[in-house]
Amino acid sequence: MTAVHPAEGTLEGRTAVITGAARGAGRACALAFAAHGADLVLLDVAAGIPGVPYPLGSESQLAHTADACRRQGADVLTAAVDVRDLAALTELRERTHDRFGAPHVLVNNAGVVAPSGLPLHETPEEDWQLMVDIDLGGAWRATKVFAPAMVERRSGSIVNIASTAGLVGYRNFAGYVAAKHGLVGLTKAGALDYASYGVRVNAVCPGNIRDEPAMDGRMLSEVARALDVPAAEHEELFTADQPMNTLVDPADVAAAALWLAGDGSRRVTGTTLTVDAGYSAR
Protein backbone atom coordinates (compact mmCIF):
# COMPACT_ATOMS: atom_id res chain seq x y z
CA MET A 1 0.00 0.00 0.00
CA THR A 2 1.32 3.46 -0.93
CA ALA A 3 1.91 5.71 2.05
CA VAL A 4 0.14 9.06 2.28
CA HIS A 5 2.51 12.00 2.53
CA PRO A 6 2.21 13.42 6.05
CA ALA A 7 1.74 16.99 4.85
CA GLU A 8 -0.85 16.11 2.23
CA GLY A 9 -3.99 18.25 2.47
CA THR A 10 -2.46 20.97 4.61
CA LEU A 11 -0.57 24.21 4.02
CA GLU A 12 0.43 24.68 7.67
CA GLY A 13 3.61 26.69 7.99
CA ARG A 14 3.48 27.92 4.41
CA THR A 15 2.88 31.30 2.83
CA ALA A 16 0.88 31.83 -0.36
CA VAL A 17 0.87 34.92 -2.57
CA ILE A 18 -2.43 35.38 -4.41
CA THR A 19 -2.96 38.03 -7.08
CA GLY A 20 -6.42 39.39 -7.89
CA ALA A 21 -7.50 38.43 -4.38
CA ALA A 22 -10.17 41.06 -3.73
CA ARG A 23 -13.09 39.04 -5.06
CA GLY A 24 -14.27 36.13 -7.19
CA ALA A 25 -11.97 33.14 -7.62
CA GLY A 26 -9.14 35.03 -5.94
CA ARG A 27 -11.16 35.47 -2.77
CA ALA A 28 -12.25 31.83 -2.90
CA CYS A 29 -8.61 30.72 -3.18
CA ALA A 30 -7.61 32.92 -0.25
CA LEU A 31 -10.37 31.50 1.95
CA ALA A 32 -9.53 27.91 1.02
CA PHE A 33 -5.82 28.40 1.64
CA ALA A 34 -6.49 30.09 4.98
CA ALA A 35 -8.76 27.22 6.01
CA HIS A 36 -5.89 24.83 5.31
CA GLY A 37 -3.36 26.69 7.42
CA ALA A 38 -1.56 29.05 5.03
CA ASP A 39 -0.49 32.58 5.79
CA LEU A 40 -1.29 34.92 2.94
CA VAL A 41 -0.06 37.82 0.86
CA LEU A 42 -3.14 39.14 -0.93
CA LEU A 43 -2.79 41.69 -3.69
CA ASP A 44 -5.18 43.32 -6.07
CA VAL A 45 -5.16 46.40 -8.25
CA ALA A 46 -7.91 47.68 -5.91
CA ALA A 47 -8.89 50.39 -8.39
CA GLY A 48 -10.23 50.89 -11.87
CA ILE A 49 -7.96 50.52 -14.89
CA PRO A 50 -8.46 52.87 -17.86
CA GLY A 51 -9.71 50.82 -20.79
CA VAL A 52 -11.33 48.10 -18.68
CA PRO A 53 -15.07 48.81 -19.03
CA TYR A 54 -16.27 47.38 -15.72
CA PRO A 55 -15.37 47.93 -12.04
CA LEU A 56 -12.46 45.91 -10.75
CA GLY A 57 -11.79 44.78 -7.21
CA SER A 58 -11.74 47.57 -4.63
CA GLU A 59 -9.72 48.27 -1.50
CA SER A 60 -12.77 47.50 0.64
CA GLN A 61 -13.26 44.15 -1.11
CA LEU A 62 -9.59 43.29 -0.60
CA ALA A 63 -9.92 44.21 3.08
CA HIS A 64 -13.04 42.04 3.33
CA THR A 65 -11.15 39.06 1.91
CA ALA A 66 -8.27 39.62 4.32
CA ASP A 67 -10.56 39.93 7.36
CA ALA A 68 -12.36 36.70 6.44
CA CYS A 69 -9.01 34.91 6.17
CA ARG A 70 -7.80 36.30 9.51
CA ARG A 71 -10.93 34.94 11.16
CA GLN A 72 -9.71 31.51 10.05
CA GLY A 73 -6.39 32.08 11.78
CA ALA A 74 -4.25 33.25 8.86
CA ASP A 75 -1.66 35.99 9.16
CA VAL A 76 -2.41 38.26 6.19
CA LEU A 77 -0.49 40.99 4.37
CA THR A 78 -2.44 43.00 1.78
CA ALA A 79 -1.25 45.32 -0.95
CA ALA A 80 -2.84 47.39 -3.71
CA VAL A 81 -0.59 46.39 -6.62
CA ASP A 82 -1.12 46.42 -10.36
CA VAL A 83 0.46 43.29 -11.86
CA ARG A 84 1.67 45.43 -14.76
CA ASP A 85 3.99 47.26 -12.31
CA LEU A 86 7.20 45.27 -11.90
CA ALA A 87 8.67 47.76 -9.41
CA ALA A 88 5.61 47.53 -7.15
CA LEU A 89 5.72 43.73 -7.25
CA THR A 90 9.41 43.81 -6.37
CA GLU A 91 8.73 46.08 -3.41
CA LEU A 92 5.98 43.73 -2.26
CA ARG A 93 8.43 40.84 -2.43
CA GLU A 94 10.66 42.64 0.06
CA ARG A 95 7.72 43.22 2.41
CA THR A 96 6.73 39.57 2.03
CA HIS A 97 10.21 38.33 2.89
CA ASP A 98 10.39 40.68 5.89
CA ARG A 99 7.05 39.43 7.21
CA PHE A 100 7.01 35.75 6.31
CA GLY A 101 10.25 34.81 4.62
CA ALA A 102 10.18 33.38 1.11
CA PRO A 103 6.69 32.32 -0.05
CA HIS A 104 5.94 28.70 -0.82
CA VAL A 105 3.03 29.21 -3.25
CA LEU A 106 2.17 31.78 -5.91
CA VAL A 107 -1.34 31.87 -7.37
CA ASN A 108 -1.47 34.03 -10.50
CA ASN A 109 -5.18 34.82 -10.56
CA ALA A 110 -5.31 38.51 -11.56
CA GLY A 111 -6.96 39.04 -14.93
CA VAL A 112 -9.64 40.83 -16.90
CA VAL A 113 -12.11 39.55 -19.49
CA ALA A 114 -12.72 42.85 -21.27
CA PRO A 115 -12.27 44.96 -23.38
CA SER A 116 -13.72 42.23 -25.60
CA GLY A 117 -16.72 41.64 -27.83
CA LEU A 118 -15.28 42.56 -31.23
CA PRO A 119 -13.92 40.51 -34.13
CA LEU A 120 -10.16 40.28 -34.20
CA HIS A 121 -9.67 42.76 -37.04
CA GLU A 122 -11.85 45.37 -35.28
CA THR A 123 -10.03 45.09 -31.95
CA PRO A 124 -8.11 48.31 -31.21
CA GLU A 125 -4.40 47.86 -30.60
CA GLU A 126 -4.66 49.42 -27.16
CA ASP A 127 -7.33 46.87 -26.15
CA TRP A 128 -5.15 44.01 -27.36
CA GLN A 129 -2.09 45.31 -25.51
CA LEU A 130 -4.06 45.87 -22.30
CA MET A 131 -5.47 42.34 -22.28
CA VAL A 132 -2.14 40.65 -22.95
CA ASP A 133 -0.28 42.88 -20.50
CA ILE A 134 -2.60 42.02 -17.61
CA ASP A 135 -3.65 38.43 -18.27
CA LEU A 136 -0.32 37.10 -19.52
CA GLY A 137 2.28 39.71 -18.62
CA GLY A 138 0.99 39.96 -15.04
CA ALA A 139 1.63 36.26 -14.40
CA TRP A 140 5.07 36.52 -15.98
CA ARG A 141 6.00 39.49 -13.77
CA ALA A 142 4.75 37.92 -10.54
CA THR A 143 6.61 34.71 -11.35
CA LYS A 144 9.76 36.65 -12.23
CA VAL A 145 9.59 38.36 -8.83
CA PHE A 146 8.56 35.52 -6.51
CA ALA A 147 10.04 32.41 -8.16
CA PRO A 148 13.75 33.08 -7.45
CA ALA A 149 13.35 32.45 -3.71
CA MET A 150 11.53 29.20 -4.48
CA VAL A 151 14.37 28.19 -6.78
CA GLU A 152 16.90 29.00 -4.06
CA ARG A 153 14.93 26.94 -1.50
CA ARG A 154 14.38 24.22 -4.15
CA SER A 155 10.68 23.87 -3.48
CA GLY A 156 7.51 25.73 -4.35
CA SER A 157 4.30 25.68 -6.35
CA ILE A 158 3.10 28.22 -8.89
CA VAL A 159 -0.55 27.97 -9.93
CA ASN A 160 -1.72 29.98 -12.92
CA ILE A 161 -5.47 30.57 -13.19
CA ALA A 162 -6.03 30.32 -16.93
CA SER A 163 -9.40 29.48 -18.54
CA THR A 164 -11.06 27.18 -21.03
CA ALA A 165 -10.18 30.12 -23.29
CA GLY A 166 -6.63 28.80 -22.94
CA LEU A 167 -7.75 25.53 -24.52
CA VAL A 168 -10.38 26.47 -27.12
CA GLY A 169 -11.44 29.54 -29.05
CA TYR A 170 -14.29 31.96 -28.34
CA ARG A 171 -15.75 34.23 -30.97
CA ASN A 172 -15.08 37.97 -30.44
CA PHE A 173 -12.66 37.37 -27.54
CA ALA A 174 -9.38 37.14 -29.48
CA GLY A 175 -7.30 39.10 -26.95
CA TYR A 176 -8.55 37.09 -23.99
CA VAL A 177 -8.17 33.76 -25.81
CA ALA A 178 -4.65 34.62 -26.98
CA ALA A 179 -3.58 35.74 -23.51
CA LYS A 180 -4.97 32.63 -21.82
CA HIS A 181 -3.43 30.31 -24.44
CA GLY A 182 -0.20 32.15 -23.72
CA LEU A 183 -0.63 31.54 -20.00
CA VAL A 184 -0.97 27.80 -20.63
CA GLY A 185 2.24 27.98 -22.69
CA LEU A 186 3.96 29.96 -19.94
CA THR A 187 2.92 27.23 -17.50
CA LYS A 188 4.52 24.47 -19.58
CA ALA A 189 7.71 26.43 -20.22
CA GLY A 190 8.00 27.42 -16.56
CA ALA A 191 7.49 23.83 -15.46
CA LEU A 192 10.50 22.78 -17.53
CA ASP A 193 12.61 25.74 -16.39
CA TYR A 194 12.04 24.98 -12.71
CA ALA A 195 11.62 21.18 -12.61
CA SER A 196 15.21 20.50 -11.57
CA TYR A 197 14.78 22.94 -8.67
CA GLY A 198 11.74 21.24 -7.19
CA VAL A 199 9.44 24.13 -8.15
CA ARG A 200 6.22 23.08 -9.85
CA VAL A 201 4.16 25.18 -12.29
CA ASN A 202 0.60 24.21 -13.20
CA ALA A 203 -2.54 25.85 -14.53
CA VAL A 204 -6.21 25.68 -13.65
CA CYS A 205 -8.56 26.18 -16.60
CA PRO A 206 -12.02 27.09 -15.30
CA GLY A 207 -15.12 27.28 -17.44
CA ASN A 208 -17.89 29.80 -16.81
CA ILE A 209 -17.67 30.77 -13.13
CA ARG A 210 -20.86 31.71 -11.34
CA ASP A 211 -20.96 35.31 -10.08
CA GLU A 212 -21.45 34.21 -6.49
CA PRO A 213 -22.59 37.16 -4.32
CA ALA A 214 -20.49 36.07 -1.34
CA MET A 215 -17.39 36.30 -3.54
CA ASP A 216 -18.45 39.61 -5.17
CA GLY A 217 -17.98 37.91 -8.55
CA ARG A 218 -18.40 39.96 -11.70
CA MET A 219 -16.70 38.20 -14.61
CA LEU A 220 -19.59 36.12 -15.99
CA SER A 221 -21.92 39.09 -16.13
CA GLU A 222 -19.21 41.00 -18.02
CA VAL A 223 -18.89 38.17 -20.55
CA ALA A 224 -22.66 38.36 -21.00
CA ARG A 225 -22.49 42.12 -21.51
CA ALA A 226 -19.79 41.75 -24.16
CA LEU A 227 -21.97 39.20 -25.97
CA ASP A 228 -25.16 41.28 -25.62
CA VAL A 229 -26.81 38.57 -23.52
CA PRO A 230 -29.60 40.00 -21.30
CA ALA A 231 -28.54 40.20 -17.66
CA ALA A 232 -31.63 38.37 -16.43
CA GLU A 233 -30.95 35.43 -18.73
CA HIS A 234 -27.19 35.03 -18.82
CA GLU A 235 -26.77 32.40 -16.08
CA GLU A 236 -29.49 30.17 -17.54
CA LEU A 237 -28.08 30.48 -21.05
CA PHE A 238 -24.50 29.72 -19.98
CA THR A 239 -25.65 26.78 -17.87
CA ALA A 240 -27.46 25.23 -20.83
CA ASP A 241 -24.11 25.10 -22.66
CA GLN A 242 -22.44 22.92 -19.99
CA PRO A 243 -22.61 19.09 -20.30
CA MET A 244 -23.06 18.78 -16.52
CA ASN A 245 -25.84 21.38 -16.65
CA THR A 246 -24.17 23.54 -14.04
CA LEU A 247 -21.81 26.47 -13.82
CA VAL A 248 -18.49 26.33 -12.00
CA ASP A 249 -18.47 27.81 -8.49
CA PRO A 250 -15.50 29.88 -7.27
CA ALA A 251 -14.95 27.20 -4.63
CA ASP A 252 -14.41 24.64 -7.40
CA VAL A 253 -11.53 26.71 -8.76
CA ALA A 254 -10.13 27.18 -5.26
CA ALA A 255 -10.21 23.43 -4.60
CA ALA A 256 -8.20 22.76 -7.75
CA ALA A 257 -5.68 25.47 -6.87
CA LEU A 258 -5.41 24.13 -3.33
CA TRP A 259 -4.58 20.65 -4.58
CA LEU A 260 -1.94 21.96 -6.97
CA ALA A 261 -0.44 24.09 -4.19
CA GLY A 262 -0.07 21.21 -1.74
CA ASP A 263 1.94 18.03 -1.42
CA GLY A 264 -0.84 15.83 -2.77
CA SER A 265 0.25 16.98 -6.25
CA ARG A 266 3.98 16.88 -5.53
CA ARG A 267 4.74 14.95 -8.75
CA VAL A 268 2.48 17.13 -10.91
CA THR A 269 4.00 19.90 -13.01
CA GLY A 270 3.36 21.41 -16.43
CA THR A 271 -0.27 20.30 -16.44
CA THR A 272 -3.59 22.05 -17.00
CA LEU A 273 -6.35 21.03 -14.62
CA THR A 274 -9.63 21.76 -16.35
CA VAL A 275 -12.62 22.67 -14.16
CA ASP A 276 -15.39 23.39 -16.65
CA ALA A 277 -18.32 21.02 -16.04
CA GLY A 278 -17.34 19.16 -19.21
CA TYR A 279 -17.45 22.09 -21.63
CA SER A 280 -14.11 21.46 -23.34
CA ALA A 281 -14.64 17.68 -23.57
CA ARG A 282 -16.87 18.07 -26.63
Side-chain angles (χ1 to χ4, degrees):
M1 180 179 295
T2 302
V4 176
H5 194 282
E8 194 168 315
T10 181
L11 294 177
E12 291 286 347
R14 302 183 190 184
T15 301
V17 178
I18 303 175
T19 73
R23 65 185 188 186
R27 177 181 291 177
C29 287
L31 291 170
F33 282 37
H36 285 76
D39 292 324
L40 299 168
V41 178
L42 305 179
L43 60 139
D44 199 283
V45 67
I49 292 178
V52 178
Y54 62 97
L56 299 177
S58 66
E59 289 189 13
S60 63
Q61 288 172 325
L62 182 59
H64 179 83
T65 301
D67 289 344
C69 292
R70 291 186 183 107
R71 288 194 293 271
Q72 297 192 77
D75 189 1
V76 183
L77 171 66
T78 63
V81 173
D82 188 331
V83 293
R84 297 174 297 171
D85 189 338
L86 183 60
L89 286 167
T90 302
E91 191 274 334
L92 178 60
R93 178 187 61 196
E94 302 312 309
R95 293 173 57 198
T96 298
H97 285 207
D98 289 345
R99 177 83 161 262
F100 300 112
H104 303 81
V105 180
L106 169 64
V107 180
N108 284 312
N109 171 72
V112 295
V113 72
S116 295
L118 294 171
L120 189 155
H121 66 281
E122 294 180 11
T123 300
E125 183 175 1
E126 58 269 25
D127 290 1
W128 172 271
Q129 295 288 359
L130 182 65
M131 184 69 66
V132 172
D133 205 18
I134 296 172
D135 287 12
L136 177 57
W140 171 76
R141 290 183 194 89
T143 300
K144 179 179 176 65
V145 166
F146 288 104
M150 297 182 187
V151 168
E152 184 175 351
R153 191 181 52 233
R154 293 186 173 269
S155 69
S157 176
I158 299 168
V159 182
N160 295 322
I161 307 300
S163 167
T164 51
L167 305 173
V168 301
Y170 288 93
R171 184 179 292 111
N172 293 340
F173 280 81
Y176 185 70
V177 168
K180 291 299 187 178
H181 270 72
L183 187 53
V184 169
L186 183 71
T187 297
K188 293 180 181 296
L192 295 178
D193 283 350
Y194 298 138
S196 63
Y197 300 101
V199 178
R200 300 181 295 110
V201 188
N202 294 288
V204 179
C205 290
N208 289 322
I209 303 174
R210 189 188 316 277
D211 288 341
E212 188 174 315
M215 298 296 134
D216 289 330
R218 181 67 184 260
M219 187 166 284
L220 190 60
S221 59
E222 180 54 32
V223 172
R225 184 205 63 78
L227 295 174
D228 291 324
V229 174
E233 302 173 14
H234 80 269
E235 189 164 315
E236 179 181 352
L237 289 172
F238 286 131
T239 299
D241 210 23
Q242 313 306 310
M244 293 183 72
N245 199 37
T246 182
L247 297 176
V248 174
D249 289 325
D252 299 325
V253 181
L258 181 67
W259 181 70
L260 290 171
D263 290 330
S265 60
R266 62 190 177 277
R267 297 292 183 266
V268 179
T269 194
T271 195
T272 55
L273 181 53
T274 306
V275 184
D276 68 351
Y279 178 84
S280 62
R282 297 172 303 177

